[in-house]
Amino acid sequence: MVGKPCDADGIYLPPGAPPPPPENVASDNWTPFRSRAEFETAEFLYTQNQMSAGQINRLLDLWASTLAKHNDRPPFADHHDLYAVIDSSPFGDVKWQCFTVAYDGERPENPKPWMDDKYDVWFRDPREVTRNMLANSAYANEFDYRPYQEYSTENDQRQWKDFMSGDWAWDQADEIAKDPNTLGSTFVPIILGSDKTTVSVGTGNNEYYPLYASIGNICNNVRQAHRDGLAIIGFLAMPKTTKEHADEPTFRNFRRQLFHSSLSKILSSLKPGMTTPEVARFGDGHYRRVVYGLGPYIADYEEQVLLTCIVRGRCPKCMAPRANLDQDSLCRCRDYVEALIEEGPLGNLWNEAGIVPELVPFTNDFPRADIYQMISPDILHQLIKGAFKDHLVEWVEKYLRHVHPKRRAEQILDDIDRRIAAVAPFSGLRQFPQGRGFKQWTGDDSKALMKVYLPAIEGHVPTDTVRAFRALLEFCYLVRRNIITEDVLVEIEDALSRFHHYREIFKTSGTIPTFSLPRQHSLKHYIQNIRLFAAPNGLCSSITENKHIKAVKEPWRRSSRFRALGQMLLINQQLDKISAARVEFTRRGMLAGTCLSAAMNALGNIDGDLEIDDGPTVLQAFVQLAKTPQWKKRAQTVPALAEELSIPRLPDLLAQFLFQQLHPDDHRDPCDVPLAECPRYLNKILVFNSASSRFYAPSDLSGSGGMRTEHIRSSPSWRNEHSRYDCVFVNTDSDLPGMRGLEVARVRTFFSFKYRGNTYPCAVIHWFDKVGDTADEDTGMWIVSPAGGASKHAVIHVDAIYRAAHLIPVYGMEFLPQGFKCHDSYDAFRTYYVNKYADHHAFEIAF
């Protein structure tokens, strides 16, 4: 299963043979659009702005009025014209289909109302959707054609990153290759996901049940970056009945089996290609023989129960008893469960094995498919919403109410909220101005709380509680890494062991009775799942939840709300057509530059230096000042800046900085260089209120190349309200790991100046000193304090800045005064934690 190229008839090509030439299409052929302007107008109105039909008509009418005197017209006459052109596009055209299902089991003399109902299931052929993904040229350089095992060049350690580096794909390929007719083919795992979603609360039947599909060959970053690496392929039926019959076993089993039967029907077009290779074209232009296979299924716990046909409260991955889920037990597998159903009394299976024997999983209809193994890890629901938010955070409140009188517990909880609200702002960090005091929690809320919660509870809870949170947070951040090595697996195992040890405080204190909770128990299976499916960040349900917005919620909002599903299907189809057209036009090289620059180039009036920054991967961090200096509001000379910042020694600091820049081989400490030897500069400067840092952070939300840009603020009037002076990591020794090679400083201002023909972008900083030689044992975070003395300030080149740093006060046992503001956080405390939980990149460098 090595993904050998072949011709359109499936005959393998000799090594190194080029792909067949692409179809000869003129470089100005925008069919079905008449021009680039027409295509980009359609894309802007329909995909980006999502303008309503009435507003499209109004805009095109205004546009036409400006062109009438030139005897010209806009790209489209009205919204009907726009929609018709999109519909006529041949790209990405996979039609929606429908089948109807109904109950066909035993019927009592007086049938229940739901037994006579019919249910429509809408779907798109997953085989055609998959072939479109395979042919997508945008994925050509981010595509794995074969399973592989990856080893680090540094220490020859096994590591897991993208899906095809996992053992599951490797083992599946071995199994398929037993058939000699499949040798040389490409294995294409089909990744599925489903989850009910509500588009609006309070009016009508506004719940939908989308089904999504992806392929395991595309890299994780493609699936995460929402580049159509995950496609909606169906809307499943949701049978409903009266309250009188809703809890009847017959109806519950019908509803569950309907789900499995629907999946089996929808996926049936893939089944022939699971045993007999078929020829498909790929994004690199080559044809290859492909063999499909059902891969991991992305789902939250409720969906996992439905998929695996088990009793709620049981584990979908192992046979552990409900009362003690963390007990070592056998893994569930298709053969074992089928043997139990065949041999044992059906009545005992429910209680003893947690199996619902009346149900047949959809995977039983497909070769090599084991639903129990296919259940993928789910960082969002198992770790973030589950073990962290719904368990530990809730347990802290229960603990405080259990050990303290009601009034005292309320006071402590209020102080925890004030501490959370007092955290200084930081790029990408959500603020909680009222603490945790809101009702509707989202996954993003829980993620944000994870970043700031630990310092907020320290001093109010026992040390073991703090250490339990630290262990869980470290577990979460480790499994979220973009690349997981054997060493990281050891760290994950250690974090899990510490978590299990320290969480006992909640049981011994009488806070909770049991740890036998399915979502928390799932942590035990993460190492196994990582070995099977590689890095879990490529299979998290946050990917499908984000897809809900584009595939379900936004189309619903664009509909008339009357029989909305039909309109939503059409909107999704039209969105796919526009997206596929962009991929095709990009492949042909027709979308370079901007629409205006292309038009000017055609007229011969363009500067040749224009180019598009596609965000390539760069491992070295890069910091640059803002584009616009503060011409009038800030100081314009060095003495004026010294007065503005109340740093009288600033001219001397700048002189020491210049000496370093002019004498890079002089390794003396700047403070040891006599000022008489340092060049003086007191002239004009440009002051800036911000800078940006661009760095490689693939474990965080980033571009497809793994790059992330954040802004570092240093402003005396942030948003016209208060000052904001962010902190940064400063590189001091790149040969040392983590915080041993980094220092923390607060930026007082950014400025630049010219000296001897060179421009120097700089920052005036206030150093922080590390407290101790290691991170704090309880929280795992380093502690720093603002430096004092003559050397507390410095001028540094912005190249020395790595990225922004986030600090959280060490609150101790003291209560925070009411009315404390987050913008005072960096000025009011003596010591601070270096928040390594601010994001995943910070966790990887601030150790």
Side-chain angles (χ1 to χ4, degrees):
M1 305 295 291
V2 294
K4 292 174 60 177
C6 65
D7 62 21
D9 296 321
I11 307 301
Y12 289 124
L13 301 177
E23 182 183 355
N24 187 16
V25 180
S27 60
D28 60 350
N29 185 349
W30 294 90
T31 304
F33 305 95
R34 289 182 288 269
S35 65
R36 176 173 182 171
E38 185 171 296
F39 165 69
E40 294 205 25
T41 298
E43 184 181 47
F44 172 75
L45 294 177
Y46 199 82
T47 301
Q48 298 172 359
N49 189 269
Q50 300 182 17
M51 192 174 291
S52 68
Q55 290 177 335
I56 291 174
N57 290 343
R58 175 65 172 158
L59 176 64
L60 292 173
D61 184 63
L62 293 172
W63 195 344
S65 70
T66 66
L67 298 177
K69 60 185 177 182
H70 302 293
N71 197 28
D72 202 354
R73 57 189 177 84
F76 304 100
D78 53 24
H79 77 276
H80 294 294
D81 186 21
L82 169 64
Y83 297 167
V85 172
I86 296 173
D87 287 335
S88 67
S89 174
F91 308 116
D93 189 15
V94 183
K95 302 292 186 184
W96 285 95
Q97 305 175 52
C98 179
F99 62 86
T100 301
V101 291
Y103 177 74
D104 62 354
E106 295 184 6
R107 300 171 69 88
E109 292 184 8
N110 297 313
K112 308 298 171 61
W114 58 268
M115 293 181 176
D116 295 323
D117 290 337
K118 295 182 178 180
Y119 306 95
D120 290 337
V121 177
W122 286 90
F123 73 102
R124 295 193 291 180
D125 186 345
R127 177 178 171 273
E128 292 303 316
V129 172
T130 298
R131 292 175 69 89
N132 283 346
M133 288 186 184
L134 294 175
N136 192 327
S137 59
Y139 305 154
N141 297 322
E142 297 166 303
F143 196 99
D144 293 320
Y145 297 95
R146 66 178 75 180
Y148 62 95
Q149 293 181 352
E150 190 173 21
Y151 293 83
S152 169
T153 56
E154 296 180 0
N155 50 21
D156 202 33
Q157 271 195 14
R158 176 84 184 272
Q159 63 184 35
W160 295 266
K161 182 185 178 185
D162 295 313
F163 178 77
M164 296 297 276
S165 67
D167 293 341
W168 183 87
W170 184 279
D171 294 340
Q172 288 279 307
D174 281 348
E175 184 66 25
I176 295 169
K178 292 177 180 178
D179 180 354
N181 292 325
T182 65
L183 296 179
S185 300
T186 299
F187 175 47
V188 180
I190 308 299
I191 296 174
L192 299 169
S194 59
D195 182 27
K196 296 185 182 73
T197 184
T198 302
V199 293
S200 179
V201 177
T203 57
N205 179 18
N206 295 323
E207 190 176 32
Y208 294 93
Y209 204 164
L211 174 67
Y212 302 105
S214 181
I215 54 176
N217 309 83
I218 59 175
C219 297
N220 285 352
N221 62 296
V222 174
R223 204 174 296 112
Q224 293 169 308
H226 319 305
R227 290 168 49 194
D228 300 318
L230 184 75
I232 187 165
I233 63 169
F235 281 91
L236 303 175
M238 293 180 291
K240 299 184 185 303
T241 188
T242 61
K243 293 181 180 180
E244 176 186 358
H245 305 295
D247 292 330
E248 292 178 353
T250 308
F251 175 72
R252 292 205 308 268
N253 287 340
F254 165 71
R255 186 175 57 192
R256 293 175 181 178
Q257 192 60 61
L258 173 62
F259 170 84
H260 286 277
S261 299
S262 298
L263 288 182
S264 181
K265 171 67 174 176
I266 291 171
L267 300 171
S268 61
S269 63
L270 291 166
K271 188 172 181 178
M274 293 180 179
T275 51
T276 304
E278 63 178 52
V279 178
R281 191 156 194 171
F282 283 69
D284 64 352
H286 275 295
Y287 288 97
R288 289 178 178 84
R289 304 171 73 201
V290 300
V291 177
Y292 305 115
L294 294 186
Y297 203 113
I298 302 172
D300 62 16
Y301 177 70
E302 294 300 320
E303 201 82 355
Q304 291 175 0
V305 169
L306 175 61
L307 284 161
T308 53
C309 306
I310 62 171
V311 178
R312 185 177 285 103
R314 294 291 192 130
C315 174
K317 301 288 288 187
C318 73
M319 301 292 294
R322 186 171 187 172
N324 186 13
L325 286 177
D326 287 335
Q327 173 182 309
D328 290 336
S329 303
L330 295 173
C331 290
R332 293 183 187 271
C333 72
R334 174 175 170 175
D335 292 340
Y336 180 58
V337 170
E338 287 180 349
L340 289 178
I341 294 175
E342 184 177 344
E343 296 179 7
L346 298 186
N348 293 342
L349 292 178
W350 179 286
N351 295 320
E352 296 179 6
I355 298 171
V356 184
E358 296 86 356
L359 303 179
V360 180
F362 75 96
T363 47
N364 284 20
D365 295 332
F366 299 92
R368 306 182 308 276
D370 186 335
I371 188 58
Y372 309 104
Q373 190 181 52
M374 288 164 53
I375 296 298
S376 68
D378 180 12
I379 294 174
L380 177 62
H381 289 95
Q382 292 171 343
L383 303 185
I384 299 171
K385 287 185 174 181
F388 173 73
K389 171 60 178 63
D390 292 343
H391 298 164
L392 262 62
V393 172
E394 296 298 323
W395 293 354
V396 165
E397 181 170 345
K398 289 181 179 179
Y399 168 82
L400 293 172
R401 296 186 185 280
H402 180 70
V403 301
H404 294 290
K406 180 179 178 180
R407 181 177 177 82
R408 179 63 176 174
E410 297 288 356
Q411 291 173 341
I412 295 174
L413 289 169
D414 286 343
D415 188 60
I416 291 174
D417 283 340
R418 285 195 295 272
R419 291 179 174 189
I420 293 171
V423 169
F426 180 72
S427 179
L429 180 67
R430 172 176 175 173
Q431 294 293 117
F432 291 90
Q434 305 300 324
R436 300 163 299 121
F438 52 95
K439 295 180 180 179
Q440 188 66 35
W441 279 85
T442 66
D444 288 339
D445 296 328
S446 298
K447 291 176 189 176
L449 187 64
M450 289 180 76
K451 302 176 181 182
V452 300
Y453 190 72
L454 185 54
I457 63 173
E458 191 188 24
H460 289 318
V461 295
T463 299
D464 279 8
T465 302
V466 175
R467 293 185 175 184
F469 269 93
R470 172 193 171 181
L472 178 64
L473 290 176
E474 290 181 348
F475 182 94
C476 294
Y477 280 67
L478 287 168
V479 301
R480 182 62 175 75
R481 283 190 173 178
N482 185 52
I483 299 177
I484 297 176
T485 65
E486 291 279 6
D487 282 346
V488 174
L489 289 183
V490 173
E491 293 182 59
I492 292 171
E493 183 66 41
D494 175 67
L496 181 60
S497 176
R498 287 185 284 116
F499 174 64
H500 285 164
H501 172 73
Y502 290 118
R503 71 178 180 178
E504 289 293 329
I505 184 66
F506 292 107
K507 186 182 289 186
T508 57
S509 65
T511 304
I512 60 165
T514 181
F515 297 122
S516 194
L517 304 165
R519 287 183 294 173
Q520 195 169 131
H521 160 72
S522 69
L523 275 65
K524 286 193 64 174
H525 297 297
Y526 265 73
I527 290 179
Q528 175 197 22
N529 283 328
I530 289 168
R531 292 185 182 276
L532 285 175
F533 304 133
N537 64 1
L539 297 173
C540 181
S541 63
S542 60
I543 299 173
T544 55
E545 291 210 352
N546 285 327
K547 189 68 175 180
H548 285 339
I549 298 173
K550 294 295 183 183
V552 182
K553 296 185 178 183
E554 288 181 355
W556 182 84
R557 295 185 190 115
R558 295 170 67 170
S559 74
S560 68
R561 318 293 166 85
F562 176 69
R563 296 180 179 176
L565 181 57
Q567 301 166 61
M568 294 162 62
L569 301 178
L570 180 60
I571 290 169
N572 271 287
Q573 185 166 309
Q574 291 171 332
L575 289 172
D576 285 350
K577 284 174 173 285
I578 292 176
S579 178
R582 168 163 282 278
V583 169
E584 176 61 19
F585 295 150
T586 300
R587 184 191 66 80
R588 299 179 194 170
M590 297 165 62
L591 288 173
T594 65
C595 193
L596 176 61
S597 68
M600 296 297 289
N601 188 42
L603 296 173
N605 297 323
I606 188 168
D607 182 7
D609 291 336
L610 288 177
E611 62 179 9
I612 298 174
D613 181 5
D614 290 325
T617 299
V618 180
L619 297 183
Q620 181 67 39
F622 175 71
V623 176
Q624 62 180 3
L625 300 181
K627 294 181 179 180
T628 307
Q630 302 296 305
W631 295 103
K632 297 181 180 180
K633 298 180 180 180
R634 304 292 301 274
Q636 299 183 39
T637 64
V638 175
L641 184 61
E643 182 178 355
E644 179 184 315
L645 300 178
S646 300
I647 305 177
R649 293 189 63 248
L650 182 60
D652 295 342
L653 298 176
L654 183 58
Q656 293 171 340
F657 165 79
L658 272 174
F659 181 88
Q660 283 185 306
Q661 296 296 308
L662 298 174
H663 303 87
D665 296 329
D666 192 318
H667 299 296
R668 285 180 291 175
D669 188 290
C671 298
D672 296 335
V673 179
L675 285 174
E677 298 181 22
C678 299
R680 307 288 290 182
Y681 182 86
L682 301 175
N683 299 327
K684 185 177 179 180
I685 60 173
L686 296 177
V687 177
F688 300 83
N689 283 348
S690 68
S692 63
S693 175
R694 186 171 184 264
F695 52 93
Y696 184 59
S699 298
D700 284 295
L701 185 63
S702 56
S704 60
M707 300 304 295
R708 185 178 186 183
T709 299
E710 68 180 7
H711 294 282
I712 305 167
R713 310 291 181 180
S714 181
S715 173
S717 180
W718 170 243
R719 294 177 175 171
N720 296 320
E721 292 183 359
H722 49 74
S723 62
R724 175 175 170 180
Y725 300 104
D726 289 349
C727 294
V728 293
F729 290 109
V730 180
N731 281 307
T732 54
D733 191 340
S734 58
D735 293 330
L736 295 177
M739 285 294 293
R740 289 169 176 79
L742 297 171
E743 297 293 337
V744 176
R746 191 178 184 192
V747 180
R748 295 297 310 278
T749 195
F750 293 105
F751 71 101
S752 70
F753 66 97
K754 284 188 176 181
Y755 184 77
R756 295 182 181 176
N758 293 320
T759 299
Y760 294 94
C762 307
V764 180
I765 61 170
H766 186 153
W767 290 110
F768 281 74
D769 295 327
K770 294 172 185 171
V771 178
D773 297 328
T774 60
D776 176 60
E777 187 176 357
D778 295 336
T779 63
M781 294 183 282
W782 285 77
I783 298 176
V784 296
S785 63
S791 60
K792 65 181 181 180
H793 292 113
V795 175
I796 63 172
H797 198 286
V798 294
D799 286 350
I801 296 174
Y802 189 175
R803 56 157 302 185
H806 188 238
L807 309 184
I808 298 181
V810 178
Y811 294 110
M813 300 182 66
E814 299 296 324
F815 280 60
L816 204 61
Q818 292 190 16
F820 187 89
K821 301 298 183 183
C822 63
H823 52 264
D824 295 324
S825 180
Y826 286 162
D827 299 308
F829 297 87
R830 292 190 295 271
T831 54
Y832 297 84
Y833 291 114
V834 180
N835 184 14
K836 71 176 185 178
Y837 305 113
D839 54 49
H840 294 279
H841 183 261
F843 181 81
E844 293 171 7
I845 66 172
F847 59 89

